[in-house]
Amino acid sequence: MLNLKFIQENPELIVSKLKKKNFDAHAIVQQITELSGKKNEIQNQADQCKAEMNKISKEIGLLMRDGKTDEAQAAKIRTAELKDSIKQLDDDFARIELEVFNIQVLLPNLPSDLVPAGKTPEDNLIIKSHGQIPALPTGSVPHWELAKKYDIIDFELGVKITGAGFPVYKGKGARIQRALISFFLDQARESGYLEIQPPLMVNEESGFGTGQLPDKEGQMYHATEDNLYLIPTAEVPVTNLYRDLIVDAKDLPIKNTAYSACFRREAGSYGKDVRGLNRLHQFDKVEIVQIAHPDNSYELLDGMVAHVAGLVEKLELPYRILRLCGGDMSFTSALTYDFEVFSAAQEKWLEVSSVSNFESFQANRLKLRYRDEVTKKPVIAHTLNGSALALPRILAALLENNQTPEGIRIPKVLIPYCGFEMID
RNA sequence: GGAGAGGUGGGUGAGUGGCUGAAACCACCGGUUUGCUAAACCGACGUACGGGUCAUUCUGUACCGGGGGUUCGAAUCCCCCCCUCUCCGCCA
């Protein structure tokens, strides 16, 4: 959510910047400017009435104390009128405030100047490619066949007990999952992130705080009996740890990491990309989150990108980093880097991480602020997060790229975590 | 699920109708003292949204879990909701 004062003071800037996201903000900005002008006017009137009311009430109190009941009684006459005005003005104010808010949340975050123009994923900017695309031996197969061949992931069994998109990992399949989680968490800890184990369900306030509610309500599993939501990413509970807080500037940046299962309904996505591990309703992910000072949030973003790149390199997977174009970015992001690894049997790039700076967009909703060391005033912080990493597609690429006639080779760095060198 | 207690500023916690935006203590910040640390003492110390100067300042309003009501006036009284804690039951 963009800050209201900022919108009022920079209408043209907002309209021009949002063009990059292919979003025409003109009408919204104009509406907001008009409505908030009206809102301020009403607040002024209401405040004046209330000030007079408070004054009279105080006087009545004093008169009563002195036993001058007649005078007190006389003073009450004026209050009835004021009361009506106040009620009317307060109602109007609340209505307009809600109206402004409802429009305000329709505005996407402003893209950073680094964001390339464009409409579709084809317009994303490849800023780095790394690693060799492996030449697989003849007879190589995609990961869902490997999963069956070595009996490490059972998709049908998942269908039986839950439904499509809820695979069952077995034996070395389960163990490699656990190994990846531990590896990612250890790496994050070594990069200075504090490990958090968050709840997997969140309340409505948290869903709102990170922007899943109300817009993406349909994408989350909702336990209606208790009005709790299964988290789509650890970003939600972890970022919300800092909701409604004013943190010390000297504690920034705050760096947290968390493993969690992630739950996504993926309503409306069917067909080509959903085979095997490519798209699931439940999957595992290690997330990294930072709460930052606005002055250095982009440096920190680069650091997060470097961290994720390190992970993929250690796993010996060919990857590329994309800077997302305006049209492919999320509503809330100011700058996003996607990581894709090459899945050699499917012969395609799979997104395994998305690292973003949200600047103050999320923090404004969260009311997450830091106290400026000079002015001593609260200032909205910046939030950043990224996957480091999401497991399923990493696993898909590991299985496909490392298949040999003898079995699937485990990357060196994972062997101590797995306790085996081959899936055979 | 049954019964009870309670939600006040960063924390503990006082406050049952007006002089309470809120005592006291702790923490944080500034200062004095001190060889350093500590202690002691003094001072400042909420947030949001408005208005005027827009630089420091000044000023209005709102906020004591959320919403509604009573009253000239509500943290305080009434109603509804939410949450937390304790005991019992059930259970990993």
Side-chain angles (χ1 to χ4, degrees), chain A residues 319-361:
Chain A
Y319 71 93
R320 61 186 192 185
I321 305 175
L322 310 172
R323 189 186 289 155
L324 295 194
C325 72
D328 200 30
M329 290 174 76
S330 78
F331 186 80
T332 49
S333 173
L335 182 62
T336 297
Y337 292 99
D338 270 10
F339 279 72
E340 296 180 337
V341 299
F342 194 76
S343 193
Q346 297 186 74
E347 294 185 57
K348 64 179 179 186
W349 293 96
L350 300 177
E351 182 193 330
V352 292
S353 174
S354 191
V355 185
S356 302
N357 188 353
F358 302 96
E359 297 193 9
S360 58
F361 196 80

mmCIF file of all heavy atoms in Angstrom, chain A residues 319-361:
data_model
loop_
_atom_site.group_PDB
_atom_site.id
_atom_site.type_symbol
_atom_site.label_atom_id
_atom_site.label_comp_id
_atom_site.label_asym_id
_atom_site.label_seq_id
_atom_site.Cartn_x
_atom_site.Cartn_y
_atom_site.Cartn_z
ATOM 1 N N TYR A 319 21.987 -22.266 -13.906
ATOM 2 C CA TYR A 319 20.894 -21.351 -13.582
ATOM 3 C C TYR A 319 21.069 -20.032 -14.300
ATOM 4 O O TYR A 319 22.141 -19.726 -14.847
ATOM 5 C CB TYR A 319 20.834 -21.112 -12.072
ATOM 6 C CG TYR A 319 21.969 -20.271 -11.520
ATOM 7 C CD1 TYR A 319 21.829 -18.886 -11.380
ATOM 8 C CD2 TYR A 319 23.172 -20.843 -11.139
ATOM 9 C CE1 TYR A 319 22.861 -18.113 -10.871
ATOM 10 C CE2 TYR A 319 24.209 -20.082 -10.627
ATOM 11 C CZ TYR A 319 24.053 -18.720 -10.497
ATOM 12 O OH TYR A 319 25.076 -17.953 -10.011
ATOM 13 N N ARG A 320 20.001 -19.270 -14.291
ATOM 14 C CA ARG A 320 20.089 -17.898 -14.778
ATOM 15 C C ARG A 320 19.264 -17.002 -13.865
ATOM 16 O O ARG A 320 18.323 -17.463 -13.195
ATOM 17 C CB ARG A 320 19.617 -17.800 -16.229
ATOM 18 C CG ARG A 320 18.177 -18.203 -16.434
ATOM 19 C CD ARG A 320 17.823 -18.214 -17.919
ATOM 20 N NE ARG A 320 16.381 -18.320 -18.101
ATOM 21 C CZ ARG A 320 15.789 -18.442 -19.280
ATOM 22 N NH1 ARG A 320 16.509 -18.473 -20.395
ATOM 23 N NH2 ARG A 320 14.470 -18.523 -19.365
ATOM 24 N N ILE A 321 19.651 -15.749 -13.833
ATOM 25 C CA ILE A 321 18.951 -14.768 -13.008
ATOM 26 C C ILE A 321 18.257 -13.772 -13.922
ATOM 27 O O ILE A 321 18.867 -13.234 -14.846
ATOM 28 C CB ILE A 321 19.924 -14.006 -12.083
ATOM 29 C CG1 ILE A 321 20.736 -14.989 -11.228
ATOM 30 C CG2 ILE A 321 19.155 -13.039 -11.188
ATOM 31 C CD1 ILE A 321 21.811 -14.314 -10.366
ATOM 32 N N LEU A 322 16.987 -13.555 -13.665
ATOM 33 C CA LEU A 322 16.213 -12.620 -14.465
ATOM 34 C C LEU A 322 15.812 -11.423 -13.624
ATOM 35 O O LEU A 322 15.423 -11.588 -12.464
ATOM 36 C CB LEU A 322 14.925 -13.286 -14.966
ATOM 37 C CG LEU A 322 15.039 -14.643 -15.648
ATOM 38 C CD1 LEU A 322 13.661 -15.218 -15.895
ATOM 39 C CD2 LEU A 322 15.789 -14.494 -16.955
ATOM 40 N N ARG A 323 15.922 -10.278 -14.213
ATOM 41 C CA ARG A 323 15.317 -9.104 -13.583
ATOM 42 C C ARG A 323 13.959 -8.935 -14.230
ATOM 43 O O ARG A 323 13.861 -8.722 -15.439
ATOM 44 C CB ARG A 323 16.189 -7.874 -13.793
ATOM 45 C CG ARG A 323 15.710 -6.688 -12.966
ATOM 46 C CD ARG A 323 16.499 -5.438 -13.304
ATOM 47 N NE ARG A 323 17.857 -5.496 -12.813
ATOM 48 C CZ ARG A 323 18.856 -4.805 -13.359
ATOM 49 N NH1 ARG A 323 18.637 -4.048 -14.416
ATOM 50 N NH2 ARG A 323 20.073 -4.887 -12.861
ATOM 51 N N LEU A 324 12.913 -9.050 -13.429
ATOM 52 C CA LEU A 324 11.568 -9.076 -13.998
ATOM 53 C C LEU A 324 11.182 -7.721 -14.571
ATOM 54 O O LEU A 324 11.470 -6.673 -13.999
ATOM 55 C CB LEU A 324 10.538 -9.480 -12.937
ATOM 56 C CG LEU A 324 10.656 -10.897 -12.369
ATOM 57 C CD1 LEU A 324 9.385 -11.255 -11.602
ATOM 58 C CD2 LEU A 324 10.927 -11.928 -13.455
ATOM 59 N N CYS A 325 10.496 -7.789 -15.707
ATOM 60 C CA CYS A 325 10.017 -6.570 -16.336
ATOM 61 C C CYS A 325 8.742 -6.103 -15.629
ATOM 62 O O CYS A 325 8.114 -6.862 -14.874
ATOM 63 C CB CYS A 325 9.722 -6.817 -17.810
ATOM 64 S SG CYS A 325 8.255 -7.809 -18.119
ATOM 65 N N GLY A 326 8.376 -4.879 -15.884
ATOM 66 C CA GLY A 326 7.227 -4.281 -15.213
ATOM 67 C C GLY A 326 5.967 -5.119 -15.306
ATOM 68 O O GLY A 326 5.235 -5.242 -14.327
ATOM 69 N N GLY A 327 5.748 -5.739 -16.457
ATOM 70 C CA GLY A 327 4.522 -6.492 -16.649
ATOM 71 C C GLY A 327 4.489 -7.826 -15.931
ATOM 72 O O GLY A 327 3.419 -8.371 -15.686
ATOM 73 N N ASP A 328 5.654 -8.354 -15.574
ATOM 74 C CA ASP A 328 5.708 -9.682 -14.972
ATOM 75 C C ASP A 328 5.904 -9.624 -13.466
ATOM 76 O O ASP A 328 5.948 -10.647 -12.784
ATOM 77 C CB ASP A 328 6.847 -10.493 -15.610
ATOM 78 C CG ASP A 328 6.661 -11.996 -15.415
ATOM 79 O OD1 ASP A 328 5.494 -12.430 -15.330
ATOM 80 O OD2 ASP A 328 7.658 -12.724 -15.339
ATOM 81 N N MET A 329 6.017 -8.410 -12.940
ATOM 82 C CA MET A 329 6.270 -8.268 -11.501
ATOM 83 C C MET A 329 4.984 -8.407 -10.709
ATOM 84 O O MET A 329 3.906 -8.175 -11.213
ATOM 85 C CB MET A 329 6.825 -6.873 -11.209
ATOM 86 C CG MET A 329 8.201 -6.641 -11.705
ATOM 87 S SD MET A 329 8.601 -4.915 -11.442
ATOM 88 C CE MET A 329 8.891 -4.930 -9.684
ATOM 89 N N SER A 330 5.166 -8.720 -9.449
ATOM 90 C CA SER A 330 4.000 -8.806 -8.578
ATOM 91 C C SER A 330 3.520 -7.402 -8.226
ATOM 92 O O SER A 330 4.240 -6.412 -8.359
ATOM 93 C CB SER A 330 4.336 -9.572 -7.304
ATOM 94 O OG SER A 330 5.044 -8.749 -6.419
ATOM 95 N N PHE A 331 2.300 -7.375 -7.778
ATOM 96 C CA PHE A 331 1.636 -6.149 -7.358
ATOM 97 C C PHE A 331 2.443 -5.394 -6.308
ATOM 98 O O PHE A 331 2.544 -4.167 -6.332
ATOM 99 C CB PHE A 331 0.266 -6.556 -6.784
ATOM 100 C CG PHE A 331 -0.643 -5.432 -6.427
ATOM 101 C CD1 PHE A 331 -1.381 -4.780 -7.396
ATOM 102 C CD2 PHE A 331 -0.790 -5.047 -5.103
ATOM 103 C CE1 PHE A 331 -2.241 -3.752 -7.059
ATOM 104 C CE2 PHE A 331 -1.649 -4.016 -4.753
ATOM 105 C CZ PHE A 331 -2.374 -3.367 -5.740
ATOM 106 N N THR A 332 3.042 -6.140 -5.400
ATOM 107 C CA THR A 332 3.654 -5.533 -4.213
ATOM 108 C C THR A 332 5.130 -5.203 -4.372
ATOM 109 O O THR A 332 5.690 -4.504 -3.553
ATOM 110 C CB THR A 332 3.529 -6.487 -3.005
ATOM 111 O OG1 THR A 332 3.969 -7.781 -3.409
ATOM 112 C CG2 THR A 332 2.115 -6.564 -2.515
ATOM 113 N N SER A 333 5.759 -5.698 -5.430
ATOM 114 C CA SER A 333 7.212 -5.597 -5.516
ATOM 115 C C SER A 333 7.678 -4.318 -6.203
ATOM 116 O O SER A 333 7.026 -3.787 -7.098
ATOM 117 C CB SER A 333 7.755 -6.807 -6.272
ATOM 118 O OG SER A 333 9.130 -6.643 -6.497
ATOM 119 N N ALA A 334 8.858 -3.852 -5.777
ATOM 120 C CA ALA A 334 9.493 -2.718 -6.444
ATOM 121 C C ALA A 334 10.585 -3.202 -7.381
ATOM 122 O O ALA A 334 10.882 -2.552 -8.386
ATOM 123 C CB ALA A 334 10.076 -1.753 -5.415
ATOM 124 N N LEU A 335 11.198 -4.315 -7.026
ATOM 125 C CA LEU A 335 12.221 -4.917 -7.885
ATOM 126 C C LEU A 335 12.323 -6.395 -7.536
ATOM 127 O O LEU A 335 12.448 -6.737 -6.366
ATOM 128 C CB LEU A 335 13.581 -4.235 -7.675
ATOM 129 C CG LEU A 335 14.730 -4.734 -8.560
ATOM 130 C CD1 LEU A 335 14.450 -4.500 -10.031
ATOM 131 C CD2 LEU A 335 16.042 -4.062 -8.174
ATOM 132 N N THR A 336 12.267 -7.229 -8.565
ATOM 133 C CA THR A 336 12.296 -8.679 -8.332
ATOM 134 C C THR A 336 13.306 -9.355 -9.237
ATOM 135 O O THR A 336 13.368 -9.064 -10.437
ATOM 136 C CB THR A 336 10.907 -9.309 -8.585
ATOM 137 O OG1 THR A 336 9.966 -8.781 -7.666
ATOM 138 C CG2 THR A 336 10.956 -10.831 -8.429
ATOM 139 N N TYR A 337 14.093 -10.246 -8.639
ATOM 140 C CA TYR A 337 14.964 -11.133 -9.398
ATOM 141 C C TYR A 337 14.434 -12.552 -9.270
ATOM 142 O O TYR A 337 14.185 -13.015 -8.168
ATOM 143 C CB TYR A 337 16.396 -11.081 -8.849
ATOM 144 C CG TYR A 337 17.078 -9.749 -9.080
ATOM 145 C CD1 TYR A 337 17.149 -8.791 -8.069
ATOM 146 C CD2 TYR A 337 17.641 -9.458 -10.317
ATOM 147 C CE1 TYR A 337 17.763 -7.568 -8.282
ATOM 148 C CE2 TYR A 337 18.264 -8.237 -10.541
ATOM 149 C CZ TYR A 337 18.321 -7.304 -9.523
ATOM 150 O OH TYR A 337 18.931 -6.097 -9.741
ATOM 151 N N ASP A 338 14.240 -13.189 -10.397
ATOM 152 C CA ASP A 338 13.850 -14.595 -10.391
ATOM 153 C C ASP A 338 15.072 -15.449 -10.709
ATOM 154 O O ASP A 338 15.898 -15.074 -11.545
ATOM 155 C CB ASP A 338 12.774 -14.867 -11.449
ATOM 156 C CG ASP A 338 11.367 -14.686 -10.890
ATOM 157 O OD1 ASP A 338 11.236 -14.172 -9.757
ATOM 158 O OD2 ASP A 338 10.413 -15.058 -11.597
ATOM 159 N N PHE A 339 15.132 -16.593 -10.045
ATOM 160 C CA PHE A 339 16.154 -17.593 -10.366
ATOM 161 C C PHE A 339 15.480 -18.751 -11.076
ATOM 162 O O PHE A 339 14.438 -19.220 -10.627
ATOM 163 C CB PHE A 339 16.821 -18.117 -9.092
ATOM 164 C CG PHE A 339 17.882 -17.212 -8.552
ATOM 165 C CD1 PHE A 339 17.550 -16.014 -7.943
ATOM 166 C CD2 PHE A 339 19.223 -17.580 -8.635
ATOM 167 C CE1 PHE A 339 18.538 -15.177 -7.445
ATOM 168 C CE2 PHE A 339 20.209 -16.741 -8.134
ATOM 169 C CZ PHE A 339 19.875 -15.544 -7.542
ATOM 170 N N GLU A 340 16.106 -19.190 -12.164
ATOM 171 C CA GLU A 340 15.599 -20.362 -12.859
ATOM 172 C C GLU A 340 16.725 -21.377 -13.000
ATOM 173 O O GLU A 340 17.854 -21.005 -13.332
ATOM 174 C CB GLU A 340 15.073 -19.986 -14.253
ATOM 175 C CG GLU A 340 13.871 -19.045 -14.205
ATOM 176 C CD GLU A 340 13.347 -18.682 -15.584
ATOM 177 O OE1 GLU A 340 14.119 -18.777 -16.575
ATOM 178 O OE2 GLU A 340 12.170 -18.305 -15.675
ATOM 179 N N VAL A 341 16.413 -22.630 -12.741
ATOM 180 C CA VAL A 341 17.402 -23.678 -12.998
ATOM 181 C C VAL A 341 16.952 -24.456 -14.229
ATOM 182 O O VAL A 341 15.766 -24.510 -14.539
ATOM 183 C CB VAL A 341 17.571 -24.646 -11.799
ATOM 184 C CG1 VAL A 341 18.041 -23.893 -10.571
ATOM 185 C CG2 VAL A 341 16.278 -25.391 -11.510
ATOM 186 N N PHE A 342 17.946 -25.052 -14.899
ATOM 187 C CA PHE A 342 17.593 -25.790 -16.111
ATOM 188 C C PHE A 342 17.338 -27.246 -15.773
ATOM 189 O O PHE A 342 18.158 -27.919 -15.168
ATOM 190 C CB PHE A 342 18.701 -25.694 -17.166
ATOM 191 C CG PHE A 342 18.237 -26.148 -18.514
ATOM 192 C CD1 PHE A 342 17.418 -25.331 -19.285
ATOM 193 C CD2 PHE A 342 18.593 -27.403 -19.006
ATOM 194 C CE1 PHE A 342 16.967 -25.749 -20.531
ATOM 195 C CE2 PHE A 342 18.140 -27.823 -20.255
ATOM 196 C CZ PHE A 342 17.324 -26.990 -21.019
ATOM 197 N N SER A 343 16.162 -27.670 -16.135
ATOM 198 C CA SER A 343 15.760 -29.041 -15.888
ATOM 199 C C SER A 343 15.987 -29.817 -17.182
ATOM 200 O O SER A 343 15.256 -29.664 -18.162
ATOM 201 C CB SER A 343 14.278 -29.023 -15.491
ATOM 202 O OG SER A 343 13.893 -30.251 -14.963
ATOM 203 N N ALA A 344 17.039 -30.637 -17.177
ATOM 204 C CA ALA A 344 17.603 -31.111 -18.442
ATOM 205 C C ALA A 344 16.733 -32.100 -19.205
ATOM 206 O O ALA A 344 16.799 -32.159 -20.431
ATOM 207 C CB ALA A 344 18.991 -31.711 -18.193
ATOM 208 N N ALA A 345 15.937 -32.888 -18.503
ATOM 209 C CA ALA A 345 15.097 -33.852 -19.226
ATOM 210 C C ALA A 345 13.828 -33.195 -19.755
ATOM 211 O O ALA A 345 13.352 -33.512 -20.838
ATOM 212 C CB ALA A 345 14.757 -35.035 -18.334
ATOM 213 N N GLN A 346 13.293 -32.277 -18.992
ATOM 214 C CA GLN A 346 12.141 -31.524 -19.491
ATOM 215 C C GLN A 346 12.583 -30.485 -20.517
ATOM 216 O O GLN A 346 11.778 -29.926 -21.236
ATOM 217 C CB GLN A 346 11.427 -30.788 -18.357
ATOM 218 C CG GLN A 346 10.823 -31.670 -17.276
ATOM 219 C CD GLN A 346 10.003 -30.855 -16.283
ATOM 220 O OE1 GLN A 346 8.910 -30.407 -16.592
ATOM 221 N NE2 GLN A 346 10.564 -30.659 -15.095
ATOM 222 N N GLU A 347 13.897 -30.215 -20.482
ATOM 223 C CA GLU A 347 14.496 -29.205 -21.347
ATOM 224 C C GLU A 347 13.809 -27.863 -21.200
ATOM 225 O O GLU A 347 13.405 -27.238 -22.184
ATOM 226 C CB GLU A 347 14.475 -29.661 -22.813
ATOM 227 C CG GLU A 347 15.359 -30.884 -23.050
ATOM 228 C CD GLU A 347 15.432 -31.257 -24.516
ATOM 229 O OE1 GLU A 347 15.825 -30.391 -25.319
ATOM 230 O OE2 GLU A 347 15.079 -32.408 -24.849
ATOM 231 N N LYS A 348 13.669 -27.458 -19.949
ATOM 232 C CA LYS A 348 13.159 -26.101 -19.748
ATOM 233 C C LYS A 348 13.647 -25.508 -18.431
ATOM 234 O O LYS A 348 14.123 -26.210 -17.546
ATOM 235 C CB LYS A 348 11.641 -26.078 -19.831
ATOM 236 C CG LYS A 348 10.908 -26.848 -18.769
ATOM 237 C CD LYS A 348 9.419 -26.661 -19.030
ATOM 238 C CE LYS A 348 8.581 -27.421 -18.019
ATOM 239 N NZ LYS A 348 7.163 -27.352 -18.341
ATOM 240 N N TRP A 349 13.512 -24.186 -18.375
ATOM 241 C CA TRP A 349 13.925 -23.460 -17.180
ATOM 242 C C TRP A 349 12.780 -23.465 -16.178
ATOM 243 O O TRP A 349 11.636 -23.217 -16.531
ATOM 244 C CB TRP A 349 14.289 -22.014 -17.528
ATOM 245 C CG TRP A 349 15.511 -21.900 -18.385
ATOM 246 C CD1 TRP A 349 15.551 -21.791 -19.739
ATOM 247 C CD2 TRP A 349 16.859 -21.896 -17.934
ATOM 248 N NE1 TRP A 349 16.847 -21.721 -20.181
ATOM 249 C CE2 TRP A 349 17.678 -21.770 -19.089
ATOM 250 C CE3 TRP A 349 17.486 -21.980 -16.692
ATOM 251 C CZ2 TRP A 349 19.077 -21.732 -19.015
ATOM 252 C CZ3 TRP A 349 18.870 -21.937 -16.617
ATOM 253 C CH2 TRP A 349 19.658 -21.818 -17.768
ATOM 254 N N LEU A 350 13.111 -23.727 -14.918
ATOM 255 C CA LEU A 350 12.102 -23.753 -13.864
ATOM 256 C C LEU A 350 12.409 -22.680 -12.818
ATOM 257 O O LEU A 350 13.553 -22.584 -12.340
ATOM 258 C CB LEU A 350 12.092 -25.117 -13.163
ATOM 259 C CG LEU A 350 11.800 -26.347 -14.013
ATOM 260 C CD1 LEU A 350 11.914 -27.611 -13.150
ATOM 261 C CD2 LEU A 350 10.416 -26.250 -14.643
ATOM 262 N N GLU A 351 11.418 -21.923 -12.476
ATOM 263 C CA GLU A 351 11.627 -20.890 -11.465
ATOM 264 C C GLU A 351 11.768 -21.540 -10.093
ATOM 265 O O GLU A 351 10.905 -22.300 -9.655
ATOM 266 C CB GLU A 351 10.434 -19.919 -11.456
ATOM 267 C CG GLU A 351 10.631 -18.797 -10.465
ATOM 268 C CD GLU A 351 9.341 -18.010 -10.207
ATOM 269 O OE1 GLU A 351 8.503 -17.931 -11.120
ATOM 270 O OE2 GLU A 351 9.210 -17.497 -9.087
ATOM 271 N N VAL A 352 12.866 -21.202 -9.415
ATOM 272 C CA VAL A 352 13.085 -21.798 -8.095
ATOM 273 C C VAL A 352 13.195 -20.753 -6.988
ATOM 274 O O VAL A 352 13.181 -21.088 -5.804
ATOM 275 C CB VAL A 352 14.356 -22.669 -8.063
ATOM 276 C CG1 VAL A 352 14.165 -23.907 -8.913
ATOM 277 C CG2 VAL A 352 15.582 -21.887 -8.493
ATOM 278 N N SER A 353 13.322 -19.512 -7.375
ATOM 279 C CA SER A 353 13.423 -18.481 -6.353
ATOM 280 C C SER A 353 12.997 -17.144 -6.921
ATOM 281 O O SER A 353 13.143 -16.881 -8.104
ATOM 282 C CB SER A 353 14.860 -18.361 -5.832
ATOM 283 O OG SER A 353 14.957 -17.269 -4.935
ATOM 284 N N SER A 354 12.449 -16.343 -6.038
ATOM 285 C CA SER A 354 12.033 -15.007 -6.401
ATOM 286 C C SER A 354 12.470 -14.120 -5.248
ATOM 287 O O SER A 354 12.090 -14.355 -4.109
ATOM 288 C CB SER A 354 10.512 -15.010 -6.552
ATOM 289 O OG SER A 354 10.077 -13.830 -7.142
ATOM 290 N N VAL A 355 13.320 -13.151 -5.557
ATOM 291 C CA VAL A 355 13.900 -12.315 -4.507
ATOM 292 C C VAL A 355 13.473 -10.874 -4.768
ATOM 293 O O VAL A 355 13.719 -10.352 -5.855
ATOM 294 C CB VAL A 355 15.437 -12.415 -4.501
ATOM 295 C CG1 VAL A 355 16.019 -11.648 -3.333
ATOM 296 C CG2 VAL A 355 15.873 -13.874 -4.461
ATOM 297 N N SER A 356 12.823 -10.252 -3.788
ATOM 298 C CA SER A 356 12.219 -8.948 -4.046
ATOM 299 C C SER A 356 12.493 -7.934 -2.959
ATOM 300 O O SER A 356 12.631 -8.272 -1.786
ATOM 301 C CB SER A 356 10.691 -9.073 -4.154
ATOM 302 O OG SER A 356 10.329 -9.973 -5.157
ATOM 303 N N ASN A 357 12.542 -6.694 -3.398
ATOM 304 C CA ASN A 357 12.505 -5.570 -2.469
ATOM 305 C C ASN A 357 11.111 -4.947 -2.577
ATOM 306 O O ASN A 357 10.688 -4.556 -3.658
ATOM 307 C CB ASN A 357 13.573 -4.535 -2.832
ATOM 308 C CG ASN A 357 13.695 -3.442 -1.788
ATOM 309 O OD1 ASN A 357 12.895 -3.377 -0.850
ATOM 310 N ND2 ASN A 357 14.699 -2.583 -1.941
ATOM 311 N N PHE A 358 10.427 -4.870 -1.458
ATOM 312 C CA PHE A 358 9.084 -4.295 -1.453
ATOM 313 C C PHE A 358 9.112 -2.839 -1.032
ATOM 314 O O PHE A 358 8.062 -2.209 -0.917
ATOM 315 C CB PHE A 358 8.175 -5.088 -0.512
ATOM 316 C CG PHE A 358 8.084 -6.532 -0.882
ATOM 317 C CD1 PHE A 358 8.878 -7.479 -0.270
ATOM 318 C CD2 PHE A 358 7.240 -6.936 -1.890
ATOM 319 C CE1 PHE A 358 8.823 -8.808 -0.636
ATOM 320 C CE2 PHE A 358 7.170 -8.270 -2.264
ATOM 321 C CZ PHE A 358 7.967 -9.204 -1.632
ATOM 322 N N GLU A 359 10.328 -2.367 -0.760
ATOM 323 C CA GLU A 359 10.474 -1.014 -0.208
ATOM 324 C C GLU A 359 9.493 -0.838 0.942
ATOM 325 O O GLU A 359 9.418 -1.703 1.804
ATOM 326 C CB GLU A 359 10.302 0.029 -1.323
ATOM 327 C CG GLU A 359 11.389 -0.100 -2.391
ATOM 328 C CD GLU A 359 11.447 1.093 -3.329
ATOM 329 O OE1 GLU A 359 10.776 2.114 -3.075
ATOM 330 O OE2 GLU A 359 12.190 1.012 -4.328
ATOM 331 N N SER A 360 8.727 0.257 0.956
ATOM 332 C CA SER A 360 7.858 0.496 2.112
ATOM 333 C C SER A 360 6.429 0.002 1.895
ATOM 334 O O SER A 360 5.563 0.204 2.725
ATOM 335 C CB SER A 360 7.839 1.992 2.439
ATOM 336 O OG SER A 360 7.386 2.713 1.311
ATOM 337 N N PHE A 361 6.210 -0.678 0.767
ATOM 338 C CA PHE A 361 4.847 -1.053 0.379
ATOM 339 C C PHE A 361 4.180 -2.005 1.376
ATOM 340 O O PHE A 361 3.047 -1.790 1.791
ATOM 341 C CB PHE A 361 4.879 -1.695 -1.004
ATOM 342 C CG PHE A 361 3.534 -1.785 -1.683
ATOM 343 C CD1 PHE A 361 2.999 -0.677 -2.311
ATOM 344 C CD2 PHE A 361 2.826 -2.970 -1.691
ATOM 345 C CE1 PHE A 361 1.762 -0.749 -2.949
ATOM 346 C CE2 PHE A 361 1.591 -3.053 -2.332
ATOM 347 C CZ PHE A 361 1.058 -1.940 -2.954
#
